[in-house]
Amino acid sequence: MAKRPPDTGTTEERILDAAMRIFAELGYEGARVDEIAKQAQANKAAIYYHIGGKEEVYAKILERTFTAFAQRVSESVQEAATPEEQLRAYIRGMAQNIREQPHMPTIMMREMAAGAQHLPEAMLKELSKLIGLLTNILRDGEEQGVFVPVTPLLIHLMLVGGHLLSRTVGAVLL
């Protein structure tokens, strides 16, 4: 694994940024506190002092990114008038979040593939709210005759996967 220079910011921010990269690359099971400390140019004691163990670090990176993302998407969807505009706002919100937090989709896809066994309860609730929002958009569109019946979770995963593939292919082509 290539060592990256730490991002500027507090020790906690450096730890969380390094942890985000490592959890995305190696998954929960493969991530190690030693490697997080090394990439953050901090010591293990700093991680335990500022955040806690691996489970707490993982929960904190998810909380830091996913909660803000879900809130932002929800607000932009509420501003849209029609189901089509709401779906566009949902998709744009996802795309913006992926640009801002490029490691999050990989982490979430790994979690879904592993049965969400390491997702904190609070994140499961946030994800449920987000899928619920998409469900309402799709149901309203179906009732208005502009959308066909679909499975909201499948649509959400297709959107995440599509954005992730687009980001990956773009990196390969550069």
Side-chain angles (χ1 to χ4, degrees):
M1 177 178 333
K3 185 175 179 182
R4 294 184 52 171
D7 298 334
T8 59
T10 66
T11 300
E12 183 174 335
E13 288 169 341
R14 289 193 331 267
I15 292 166
L16 294 174
D17 289 342
M20 179 79 83
R21 291 188 302 269
I22 291 168
F23 282 118
E25 183 178 336
L26 302 174
Y28 183 87
E29 296 298 334
R32 301 285 176 258
V33 174
D34 289 339
E35 185 62 29
I36 294 169
K38 181 179 172 184
Q39 284 201 26
Q41 293 186 353
N43 59 45
K44 282 175 59 173
I47 293 175
Y48 291 107
Y49 174 78
H50 287 282
I51 303 165
K54 180 169 135 176
E55 186 176 323
E56 290 83 10
V57 171
Y58 192 66
K60 184 93 173 187
I61 65 169
L62 294 175
E63 176 186 325
R64 178 175 88 156
T65 55
F66 196 78
T67 302
F69 157 64
Q71 181 65 33
R72 198 169 49 229
V73 169
S74 179
E75 289 171 359
S76 66
V77 165
Q78 290 174 2
E79 294 173 3
T82 67
E84 296 100 322
E85 292 171 0
Q86 291 173 338
L87 184 57
R88 284 187 194 100
Y90 187 92
I91 294 168
R92 277 192 302 271
M94 290 187 67
Q96 178 183 354
N97 187 62
I98 290 169
R99 278 191 308 274
E100 292 173 3
Q101 300 292 335
H103 299 294
M104 183 53 82
T106 305
I107 291 171
M108 293 305 293
M109 295 296 271
R110 282 180 178 275
E111 266 304 320
M112 294 300 110
Q117 64 186 25
H118 300 293
L119 279 183
E121 187 67 31
M123 293 302 98
L124 288 172
K125 289 179 183 177
E126 288 297 321
L127 182 59
S128 292
K129 287 180 194 175
L130 199 58
I131 301 302
L133 177 64
L134 180 60
T135 300
N136 291 337
I137 293 167
L138 296 172
R139 186 191 62 235
D140 291 348
E142 185 180 340
E143 289 172 358
Q144 293 178 24
V146 294
F147 297 151
V148 297
V150 294
T151 304
L153 179 59
L154 179 61
I155 298 300
H156 177 81
L157 292 174
M158 288 171 59
L159 291 169
V160 170
H163 286 303
L164 186 58
L165 179 63
S166 170
R167 188 174 61 88
T168 303
V169 169
V172 169
L173 295 177
L174 292 178

